[in-house]
Amino acid sequence: MNEPKVADERLQVHIDELSSDPLILDWQNIDLPRTWADEINFKTRTNVGRLFRSLFKKGNGRADIPDSFPQGILGKETLPKYLQQEFHGIPNGNYSNNITRGYISAFDGTMLGKMKPVRKQIATWFRGCERVLDLGCAGGQMAAALKDEDIADVWGLDPSPYLLKHAAKAYPEVKFVQGLAEDLKFSDKRFDGITASFLFHEMPPKYIDLALDECHRVLDIGGLLAICEPSSIQFKSGWWQMFKGNGFTGLYFKWLAHHVYEPFVPAWHKQDIEQLLNRHGFEVLINRRGMPEHTVLARKCSL
């Protein structure tokens, strides 16, 4: 006689989770405002000068974020300042219809194809999980790798609506929402797994602390957190050392590390990752510093 009651309780928990989840917009069909980066025209030289100034300036400029978006989308009045920059020197950063699509397709090429097997490996760590959130999902590749492991409930979260639109078109089986890693709108213990790829090195340290607190909150007891970030090896090793250890591939990643402007990466590489995660209530299970990626798997402690 008790079994139906247990089943009803589980169903109620599931219903409560669904009712408290962030709203999933119709990203595939949403009409996002065009920005200056979408209006580049080499034939009429429209915004061509602005393009070259964006590409060849020192550091990251500010992204020109539209004044208004469709209802339900975070705009420049809500987004933290660190997100309103031209990441990696990309013209208008993550705020354009066209250039964000190019960035998604070019990323794996820039990384010489090394990230696809890394994503696949990370996804295998979550076998047996049912509810996994990918933070900073960008074009959705990591979320898709999780889906390939037959994880039923996969979510992707990113602050850029333009990246989310491309991700939703490419991977309609994933639930994509706009949001901030440091202010997740999910209920406590909502997930049994979280992934974060190439996210934390883009954040000021105080926001990393907030994001890890949020990861701890929305993870169930024993839930897994996987982190993948650029390795410190290509940033700190000398040219000859990189060549001896990795050949011309090492030289390429050494050049890339110093060519692409990353304002917060030095602060990230100063962190003791195990101590950082321990401080936020996680036990580190795997800490693998490779080249060009550094992967970490941690588990939420019971206390």
Side-chain angles (χ1 to χ4, degrees), residues 1-10:
M1 295 296 294
N2 290 332
E3 289 184 6
K5 183 178 179 181
V6 172
D8 289 345
E9 288 175 353
R10 289 175 179 171

Side-chain angles (χ1 to χ4, degrees), residues 138-182:
Q141 295 97 324
M142 184 68 245
L146 293 166
K147 262 296 182 184
D148 288 343
E149 291 296 328
D150 294 325
I151 298 170
D153 193 25
V154 177
W155 292 71
L157 179 143
D158 200 276
S160 169
Y162 296 92
L163 289 172
L164 290 170
K165 182 170 183 175
H166 297 311
K169 285 185 175 181
Y171 308 109
E173 68 278 12
V174 176
K175 302 169 185 175
F176 291 104
V177 292
Q178 188 192 26
L180 307 175
E182 61 268 29

Side-chain angles (χ1 to χ4, degrees), residues 105-120:
S105 59
F107 177 77
D108 277 4
T110 302
M111 299 300 290
L112 303 185
K114 291 182 175 291
M115 292 311 301
K116 186 174 181 179
V118 171
R119 287 192 291 264
K120 186 174 181 180

